[in-house]
Amino acid sequence: MSKRGVVGNNQAITDRLLTCRQRLYSSLNFGFSSSYDDKERKWRCGDIEMQKHVVHSISAFLGCISAYTCQDPLVKDTVADMIKALEGILQCNSDTVLIIAAKVALKLVRDLPSSLLQSHVLHLIQPFSSLLSSHQVKVASRCANGLNHILSYLSLKEDGVIWEILKETNAVIHIINNIQIFSKGMESIKHFQRMASLLRRVLWRWPPSRYHVWNDAELLRVLEAIRVNPDSSVKVAVLQLYSALALCGNGAERLLENGENLLKMVVQCMDSTQPPSVRIEAFKLAQLLAMSEQRCSKMMRLCCEPIVKAIICGLKGCGLSGRQFAKDRISLLVEAGHLALITRWAGEHHIYFWKLGIAGVLSTLLLRKSHKAQQPPHSLSMEELTFIADEGSAFIWEIIVGLVTHCGEDFNPEMNGNDVFISILICCACMTFVESVDPIFEEAANNISSCLASRALLMMIYSPCKYIASQAQSKLSKALKAEGKRYLKSFTDYLCYVSSRDEYGRPDERTFFSIVGLTCYSGLPQYQKYVLQSEGIKMLLAFIKQCLKNDSHLGRLSFASNLQNIFSRWTCCQTCAEDWDGGGILMLFGLWGLAELIHHSGRMRNHPDLFRGQMEYTEVQFINKLQEICSDTSIPGLRWYAAYLLSYFGVYGFPSRLGKRIGNALGEKENTDMQLILKNGESVSIHGVVLMVQCPSLLQTVELPLHKESSDGSSVRQYTESAKKFKKEVHLSSHLRHQPLVKLLEFVYLGYLQAGEDLVKSLKSFAKHCKLQPLLQMLHRNRPKWGMPFPGLDLALALDFDGHTFSDVALEAEATEVMQWTCKFCSVLVPHMHVHKVILWSSCDHFRAMFRSGMQESRSPFIKVPVSWEALVKLVDWLYSDKLPTLVTGCLWDNMDERKKLKELQPYLELCWLADYWLLDDIQEHCSRVINSCLDSSGNLSLEVLQIAARLSLWKLAETAVNRLGPSYSRLRLTGEIEKLDKDLADMVRVASVRHSQDSTKCKLEE
C-alpha cells in the first residue's frame, strides 16, 4: 500500500474511533452523577436498558482500538470513565446485564495495554472479586479471568489494598466453591482452569491465603478426584495448585500426610510419556515437597527408586523429540537438575542414583559444554549448550558434590559401570580448576562455575570413597604439573592480602576459590610439605581470625545464586534445619585446611613455634575460640571441624554450654549416689544419672522384684521398661587405671576431655569398650563426615524410666486449673516432674544455694516451683538439654485465636519472670526473644502481654509491648480497648504514640 493509502486508512480508523467515543459519552453522561470534579464521578444509573446500552457502547469503542490507536489521547482519556462505568454496572442485580458486562470488562483488561490500565484498574478488583460467588457460571468465570489478568501486572505496592478486598469479598472461598463445582462434572475444563489459575496466583502472591486452602480437607479430596482426569491441561492446573500449596511448609506437610498416593501421581506425571508441560510442573512440585531433609526422607521412604528414575530420565531428556522446542528441553533439564539436588542429603536414594547411571548422565552433560566435542544425533542446540555452560553446570557440580560426599568408604564404582564416567567427572573438575586459576588472578575475573567446580573437586579429594579420593588426588596432581607451585602461591598471596585488610568487605568468588584451592592442595601429598614451608598454617590462622572478626555469614548460595531454589522468595513456614556448612562456608574451609596441614605436619608438641610471634592468636586464645565455636555456633560443620582441630591440641570431644554447666558437678561429693571401684581399691564417686545417659556401658544392673513400694509407702505404678535396679557400687576391670577413668569421666560430664598423647592409647581402648563412638572418632582424629549431626550433650533421657531410678527430688508446679493428673512413677496427684538434684544444682544458683542451706526445703522430696505445669515442663527441658521448646510459627500461629495465642505465650512469660528471679540469664533472653517476636501492634495480644508483664514487674518486656502499641493508640482509644489498661500503662502507650509520631515526622522531613 502506498504512503498516501496508509495515511488515509489511519485517518479512517481515527474517525471511526472518534465517532464511537462520541456515542459512548452520549450514553455515559446519562449514568454518571453530576460533579464539578471528573475524578469523583460515580455511576448512578440503575436502569437495565441504559446499562446494556452503555456496555454495548464500551464494547464498540474497544472494538475500534488497535495497536496503532491504543496510545491515542482519545483512548487514554476514556479508559478511566469506562472502568468507572463498568465498576458500577457490575454491582447491579440483573443476570443479563452482568453476563455481558463481565464479558466486556474482561475484554477491556485483556486487550488494553497494562500501561493504560495501571492507574485505574484497581476499581475493578472489588466487583470482579464479589462476582466470583455468582450463580451464573459465565459471570464467575469471566470475572476470575479478568481478576487474574489484573493481578498479573499490578504493582506489588498495591498488595495490601488488594488483599483486604479479597478478604472482604471472601474471594478464596468462592474460588474453592467453583473448583468443587467442576469436580462434580457440572462445568467445563476451561472454567476449572480459570479458577485454578486465579487461586494459584493468589496463593503465590499472598502467603496469608495459604492456610485456609491447604487446611480445607474437602478441597484436598476434590483435587485428589480431579487429578485422575486424563486431560493434560487439567493435570498441569492441579500440579500448579499443589505447588502453590506446598509453598507453605505446613501445606507441604499436609500434602505428604497422604504421601504415597500423591507421590505416585507425581511420579506418573514426571514420566517420559507425559507432555513436557506436565513433566515440568511435576518436577516443580517434587522440589517444593522435598525442600527440607525431613520431608525428603519421607518421600524417599515412600517412593525412592521411581523418583530417582524420573530425575535421571529428565536429565537425559528422555521422551523429547528433536521437533520440540529447545525451551521445553531446557526447562525440563533445569527442573530435573534442581530436584536432583536432593543428593545433598544422605539416604538410600544415593544407591539408586549410582545404580541408574547418574555418573554417565552428568559426564555427558559436562562434555556437551565443549563446542569441540562431536555431538551425537539429536544433540542439544546452541541455545541449550549456552545454558549448560552458563547455568546448568552450577547444579551439575552441586549434584556431584552430594554424590561423592555421601558414598560409602567401600563404594565400588565398577559394579554399575560408573568407574569410567567418574574418571571423566574428576577430569572435568580438575581441568576446570586448573584453567580457572590464571584468569582469576591475572584478570581478577570472578567465575561462579570455577568456584563450584573447585568445591566439587575438594569433595572428591576428601570423599569417604577411597577410589574417588585417590583418583581425584592423582588426576589433580597430574593436571597441575609444573605450574602447581605457582598456582599455590597465587592462592596464598591472595588469602594473605584478604587476611591483612583492615576493611574486610564482603568476600567475593575469588576469596572462595582461593580458600577452596588451598584446602585442595592440603589434601595432595606432593604439595603438603610445600604449603607448610610457605607458612600455610599461620596464614590460615590469620584468615580464620579475619572471618571471626567480621562475623561473615555466607553460605554456598552466596557464591552461586543460580543454585538458590527459585521458590525460596515465595515460601513461608519452612522450618528447614540449617545446612551442614550453613552460613560459615569460608571459615569452614579455613578450619578444614588448617586441620589437614596440622595433621600432616606431625604432632603439635613438635611445633612449639607455631604460635610464636603470632599477632593473630596465642595457643590458649585459639583453643578458647574453637571451644566457643563448638558451644555457641549452630552450624554443624563449623562445630565438627572446630572439635576436630581441638583434638590436635589435646582436647577431645564436643564442648557445649550444657557440658560447661554439668561439669560443675565433676569431682563434687554432693548428691553422688554411685561408686566406681578399681581393682586396686581406689574409688571415684559419681552421679549415676549422668553416667546412665552418657556412658551406660559402665553401669551394672540387678533385676527388680515385680512389686515395690515408694519411700512414702504408696504403691508405685508398674512398668516393665524399667524392671531393673542399678548397682550403687560398680567394680571395674583390672586393666583400667585411675587416670584414664578420671579422664573418661571428664568426657561424661563436660562432653570433652583434655589429655596428653601418653594417655590417648589407653583412652581409645576404654572408649571402645564403653561404645563411645564420637569420642573414639576424636581420639583417632578421624576427619568429620560431611552431613553428620553434631553429638552435643543432651540429658533428656534421664527423664525416662531408667533415669527415674536415680531421681532424688521432684519439682511441683502450681495447679492453675482443674486437671486430671497421674504420674507413671508415683501416686502423688499434683502436677510434678521427677528430676535429679545434680542437674538442678549444676545449672541453677538458686537450687545450689537451696540444697546447701540445710533448711527443711533442701531435704524435702518435693520442691514447689511458682509456675504452671506448662512452664515447668519447658524449664526442665532447658535444664536437661539447654533447649527450650519453640512456639508454632507462621500460618499456624497467625490463624490461632488470641486466647490460644496468649495461652501459648503464658509459660514463656512465667519463665521470663522466674529466670529474672533465679538469675537464669539464658532462659530469660530466650523467652524474651520468643515473646517479642509474637507481639503485634493491632491485636489484643500486646495489650494482654503488657498487663501480665507489668504485673510480673518485667518492665523491659512491658516497654517493648508499649512501643508496639504506640502507633495504634488512636484506634485503641476509639474502640475503647485502651480502657483495659490502668492509667499508668495507658499513659505509657500515649507517650509511645507521641514519640512514634515525632519520629515519623522527622523521617519525612529528612527524606
Side-chain angles (χ1 to χ4, degrees):
M1 184 181 294
S2 67
K3 184 176 180 180
R4 182 178 298 175
V6 171
V7 172
N9 189 44
N10 289 341
Q11 182 62 46
I13 294 173
T14 304
D15 291 343
R16 183 172 170 230
L17 182 68
L18 184 60
T19 302
C20 287
R21 185 175 186 273
Q22 289 173 344
R23 290 174 180 171
L24 171 63
Y25 270 97
S26 66
S27 58
L28 284 175
N29 289 333
F30 287 104
F32 280 122
S33 61
S34 300
S35 172
Y36 292 105
D37 187 352
D38 285 341
K39 291 184 180 179
E40 305 219 349
R41 290 176 28 145
K42 297 279 185 183
W43 184 260
R44 303 293 185 187
C45 179
D47 183 80
I48 292 177
E49 293 305 318
M50 178 57 70
Q51 288 174 338
K52 287 181 183 179
H53 181 60
V54 170
V55 171
H56 288 307
S57 298
I58 294 173
S59 179
F61 182 73
L62 291 174
C64 296
I65 299 173
S66 64
Y68 169 74
T69 58
C70 66
Q71 297 301 326
D72 191 294
L74 292 174
V75 176
K76 291 182 179 180
D77 294 342
T78 310
V79 168
D81 286 332
M82 288 192 295
I83 288 176
K84 285 178 184 176
L86 287 171
E87 178 189 12
I89 294 170
L90 285 170
Q91 297 177 50
C92 76
N93 296 320
S94 168
D95 289 344
T96 307
V97 174
L98 287 176
I99 290 172
I100 60 172
K103 182 178 180 180
V104 172
L106 172 59
K107 178 179 175 62
L108 183 144
V109 299
R110 188 178 57 196
D111 293 353
L112 292 185
S114 59
S115 57
L116 288 181
L117 300 171
Q118 191 83 36
S119 56
H120 310 290
V121 79
L122 199 62
H123 293 285
L124 287 178
I125 290 179
Q126 199 278 337
F128 273 164
S129 185
S130 298
L131 289 172
L132 293 173
S133 61
S134 173
H135 65 279
Q136 289 288 339
V137 174
K138 285 184 178 180
V139 174
S141 183
R142 287 166 178 169
C143 287
N145 200 3
L147 186 56
N148 205 5
H149 274 288
I150 293 173
L151 297 181
S152 68
Y153 56 74
L154 269 187
S155 168
L156 294 177
K157 293 179 182 179
E158 309 288 350
D159 272 9
V161 176
I162 298 172
W163 176 236
E164 288 303 315
I165 295 172
L166 295 177
K167 282 197 300 182
E168 183 184 335
T169 56
N170 293 317
V172 172
I173 294 173
H174 297 318
I175 298 169
I176 291 172
N177 290 338
N178 276 280
I179 290 174
Q180 291 173 345
I181 290 172
F182 170 77
S183 71
K184 298 171 184 176
M186 298 169 62
E187 294 303 331
S188 67
I189 289 176
K190 188 175 182 180
H191 178 70
F192 168 72
Q193 288 175 320
R194 287 180 172 180
M195 290 297 169
S197 179
L198 176 58
L199 181 57
R200 172 178 170 269
R201 190 177 297 280
V202 171
L203 292 170
W204 271 82
R205 194 155 173 174
W206 289 280
S209 66
R210 296 168 188 168
Y211 173 83
H212 298 288
V213 182
W214 66 253
N215 201 37
D216 189 321
E218 180 59 31
L219 174 66
L220 295 184
R221 282 193 290 270
V222 166
L223 291 179
E224 194 170 345
I226 294 174
R227 71 192 189 201
V228 300
N229 191 304
D231 190 290
S232 62
S233 63
V234 173
K235 289 183 183 296
V236 167
V238 171
L239 288 167
Q240 289 178 337
L241 262 185
Y242 277 136
S243 293
L245 295 178
L247 289 169
C248 173
N250 297 319
E253 294 282 355
R254 180 64 180 272
L255 292 178
L256 285 175
E257 286 179 7
N258 188 22
E260 192 168 357
N261 290 334
L262 177 67
L263 292 176
K264 184 178 178 181
M265 181 273 293
V266 172
V267 169
Q268 288 174 348
C269 290
M270 289 191 288
D271 190 78
S272 59
T273 59
Q274 296 289 339
S277 58
V278 174
R279 297 176 70 188
I280 289 166
E281 294 304 327
F283 276 117
K284 288 179 179 179
L285 173 57
Q287 288 174 54
L288 282 160
L289 294 174
M291 278 190 77
S292 74
E293 184 175 7
Q294 182 182 8
R295 296 205 302 264
C296 178
S297 297
K298 182 173 184 178
M299 291 169 66
M300 294 304 106
R301 287 195 300 271
L302 294 171
C303 202
C304 186
E305 186 175 6
I307 291 176
V308 175
K309 186 176 180 182
I311 292 172
I312 298 289
C313 287
L315 292 173
K316 286 180 177 179
C318 295
L320 295 176
S321 67
R323 295 188 301 273
Q324 287 177 306
F325 295 110
K327 183 179 178 181
D328 283 340
R329 303 179 73 184
I330 293 174
S331 297
L332 189 62
L333 179 61
V334 169
E335 304 308 336
H338 279 295
L339 182 55
L341 294 178
I342 60 174
T343 56
R344 67 185 180 273
W345 295 310
E348 186 185 8
H349 52 291
H350 282 265
I351 297 172
Y352 290 108
F353 270 113
W354 289 116
K355 179 182 175 182
L356 294 170
I358 185 66
V361 174
L362 296 179
S363 60
T364 301
L365 288 171
L366 282 175
L367 288 175
R368 283 177 176 174
K369 285 174 59 182
S370 171
H371 295 271
K372 298 175 185 177
Q374 180 153 1
Q375 299 298 314
H378 302 299
S379 63
L380 299 181
S381 66
M382 284 298 293
E383 183 183 355
E384 293 169 291
L385 284 170
T386 302
F387 160 76
I388 294 172
D390 295 342
E391 296 185 47
S393 59
F395 68 73
I396 293 172
W397 289 125
E398 196 66 11
I399 295 167
I400 292 170
V401 165
L403 291 169
V404 302
T405 299
H406 296 297
C407 57
E409 183 178 342
D410 299 322
F411 169 68
N412 182 5
E414 296 178 354
M415 285 183 61
N416 295 306
N418 284 307
D419 52 330
V420 174
F421 297 114
I422 287 175
S423 293
I424 293 173
L425 294 175
I426 294 172
C427 286
C428 288
C430 290
M431 295 311 298
T432 304
F433 177 80
V434 171
E435 289 172 0
S436 301
V437 177
D438 278 341
I440 281 188
F441 291 105
E442 292 176 9
E443 302 172 17
N446 292 325
N447 190 317
I448 292 175
S449 180
S450 300
C451 291
L452 296 174
S454 66
R455 180 169 177 262
L457 181 59
L458 176 69
M459 296 304 185
M460 291 172 176
I461 291 171
Y462 294 101
S463 173
C465 173
K466 295 177 181 177
Y467 175 88
I468 293 176
S470 62
Q471 286 285 310
Q473 291 169 18
S474 172
K475 293 184 186 301
L476 179 58
S477 297
K478 290 178 182 178
L480 292 171
K481 296 179 182 177
E483 298 296 321
K485 291 184 178 180
R486 182 169 69 86
Y487 296 158
L488 175 58
K489 189 175 186 304
S490 299
F491 291 142
T492 55
D493 286 349
Y494 187 73
L495 290 174
C496 283
Y497 161 71
V498 169
S499 304
S500 62
R501 283 187 299 183
D502 292 332
E503 294 185 7
Y504 187 54
R506 185 188 184 280
D508 54 13
E509 286 81 6
R510 184 170 174 181
T511 306
F512 181 94
F513 186 83
S514 300
I515 190 63
V516 171
L518 182 60
T519 309
C520 286
Y521 268 90
S522 300
L524 302 180
Q526 299 92 320
Y527 290 95
Q528 287 159 357
K529 184 178 179 181
Y530 183 74
V531 177
L532 291 167
Q533 290 173 348
S534 304
E535 295 193 326
I537 290 179
K538 290 186 178 181
M539 185 272 298
L540 283 171
L541 283 170
F543 180 77
I544 291 166
K545 183 176 183 181
Q546 186 73 285
C547 289
L548 290 167
K549 175 184 173 183
N550 290 277
D551 197 24
S552 55
H553 297 284
L554 296 173
R556 59 191 171 84
L557 297 180
S558 301
F559 302 98
S561 56
N562 48 353
L563 282 178
Q564 182 77 41
N565 191 300
I566 58 173
F567 308 111
S568 295
R569 64 176 288 208
W570 304 103
T571 56
C572 66
C573 310
Q574 301 285 350
T575 53
C576 303
E578 190 159 22
D579 285 343
W580 203 74
D581 49 2
I585 194 165
L586 293 179
M587 188 162 67
L588 173 60
F589 289 140
L591 294 173
W592 187 344
L594 181 60
E596 291 303 316
L597 292 180
I598 291 176
H599 175 77
H600 293 293
S601 68
R603 295 175 179 176
M604 291 305 301
R605 64 185 182 187
N606 296 332
H607 297 273
D609 62 334
L610 179 62
F611 291 91
R612 188 177 298 162
Q614 278 283 82
M615 297 299 293
E616 286 74 30
Y617 290 109
T618 64
E619 183 174 343
V620 173
Q621 287 174 332
F622 188 59
I623 290 172
N624 289 339
K625 185 56 68 176
L626 292 175
Q627 289 179 320
E628 285 177 22
I629 293 172
C630 288
S631 301
D632 301 334
T633 305
S634 62
I635 303 169
L638 281 182
R639 300 177 77 184
W640 259 113
Y641 268 95
Y644 179 45
L645 263 172
L646 282 169
S647 69
Y648 290 97
F649 294 89
V651 180
Y652 302 92
F654 312 94
S656 65
R657 286 180 298 188
L658 180 58
K660 188 175 182 180
R661 297 205 308 262
I662 302 301
N664 292 325
L666 181 61
E668 294 285 345
K669 296 290 185 181
E670 292 183 71
N671 305 308
T672 57
D673 53 5
M674 186 173 283
Q675 293 248 320
L676 299 179
I677 303 173
L678 295 164
K679 202 69 176 176
N680 63 5
E682 289 184 279
S683 65
V684 180
S685 298
I686 59 159
H687 304 87
V689 65
V690 180
L691 197 66
M692 184 213 78
V693 175
Q694 291 291 87
C695 189
S697 301
L698 280 181
L699 296 177
Q700 297 172 359
T701 61
V702 292
E703 293 301 315
L704 286 177
L706 291 178
H707 301 281
K708 65 172 186 174
E709 292 185 341
S710 63
S711 57
D712 63 356
S714 60
S715 175
V716 178
R717 182 178 294 271
Q718 298 301 312
Y719 48 89
T720 58
E721 293 91 339
S722 188
K724 60 188 176 186
K725 181 179 180 181
F726 294 100
K727 292 182 177 179
K728 297 299 182 183
E729 294 184 352
V730 178
H731 292 269
L732 301 175
S733 166
S734 59
H735 300 292
L736 187 60
R737 293 180 290 118
H738 182 266
Q739 196 173 10
L741 174 61
V742 170
K743 287 297 173 185
L744 188 78
L745 291 176
E746 259 186 57
F747 176 79
V748 167
Y749 279 78
L750 290 163
Y752 69 94
L753 61 87
Q754 292 181 274
E757 294 289 337
D758 53 329
L759 269 179
V760 168
K761 184 176 180 181
S762 55
L763 281 170
K764 287 178 183 177
S765 176
F766 198 6
K768 184 177 181 181
H769 170 75
C770 293
K771 301 175 183 176
L772 297 175
Q773 196 58 39
L775 174 60
L776 197 60
Q777 179 175 351
M778 289 294 100
L779 290 170
H780 281 286
R781 292 172 179 151
N782 293 334
R783 187 184 301 119
K785 186 176 180 181
W786 195 274
M788 184 183 294
F790 188 77
L793 185 63
D794 189 342
L795 300 176
L797 284 174
L799 299 170
D800 212 335
F801 290 100
D802 286 349
H804 177 254
T805 305
F806 298 100
S807 176
D808 47 9
V809 70
L811 298 180
E812 180 184 325
E814 286 185 339
T816 54
E817 57 185 57
V818 178
M819 57 187 297
Q820 289 285 358
W821 174 261
T822 56
C823 176
K824 57 187 176 184
F825 300 123
C826 71
S827 59
V828 177
L829 297 179
V830 294
H832 65 277
M833 292 188 76
H834 293 272
V835 292
H836 310 84
K837 286 184 177 180
V838 61
I839 308 295
L840 307 184
W841 181 94
S842 302
S843 297
C844 180
D845 292 339
H846 173 82
F847 284 121
R848 189 177 303 131
M850 177 192 295
F851 295 144
R852 286 177 171 173
S853 68
M855 299 174 66
Q856 182 179 357
E857 193 178 28
S858 67
R859 296 186 295 274
S860 171
F862 282 84
I863 298 173
K864 292 186 177 182
V865 182
V867 295
S868 65
W869 165 250
E870 292 79 10
L872 179 63
V873 170
K874 289 176 171 55
L875 172 65
V876 172
D877 278 342
W878 179 82
L879 292 170
Y880 280 74
S881 67
D882 196 48
K883 298 173 186 173
L884 275 176
T886 56
L887 283 171
V888 296
T889 57
C891 59
L892 294 177
W893 174 263
D894 295 337
N895 289 280
M896 196 182 291
D897 63 60
E898 297 290 323
R899 185 178 177 183
K900 190 170 182 182
K901 284 181 180 179
L902 186 61
K903 186 177 179 181
E904 291 288 322
L905 272 184
Q906 183 73 32
Y908 293 92
L909 287 159
E910 294 177 49
L911 282 182
C912 205
W913 166 79
L914 187 69
D916 188 43
Y917 178 51
W918 284 1
L919 303 179
L920 296 172
D921 293 340
D922 288 346
I923 288 186
Q924 188 173 36
E925 181 183 347
H926 182 96
C927 290
S928 296
R929 192 163 56 245
V930 169
I931 296 165
N932 290 339
S933 69
C934 296
L935 296 179
D936 54 33
S937 60
S938 56
N940 292 322
L941 191 60
S942 292
L943 284 169
E944 298 287 351
V945 169
L946 174 57
Q947 293 176 82
I948 296 171
R951 190 164 62 248
L952 297 175
S953 298
L954 297 171
W955 295 113
K956 189 174 180 180
L957 183 60
E959 184 180 356
T960 303
V962 162
N963 289 332
R964 294 289 180 90
L965 289 167
S968 302
Y969 178 71
S970 298
R971 184 188 61 79
L972 294 172
R973 279 188 61 197
L974 288 172
T975 59
E977 292 174 271
I978 198 71
E979 295 175 8
K980 293 180 181 179
L981 304 177
D982 62 36
K983 184 178 183 304
D984 290 339
L985 294 179
D987 283 344
M988 289 172 65
V989 177
R990 180 183 58 78
V991 171
S993 172
V994 173
R995 187 167 56 247
H996 172 77
S997 178
Q998 291 172 341
D999 291 343
S1000 299
T1001 304
K1002 184 179 178 181
C1003 289
K1004 289 178 181 177
L1005 290 173
E1006 289 176 353
E1007 290 175 0

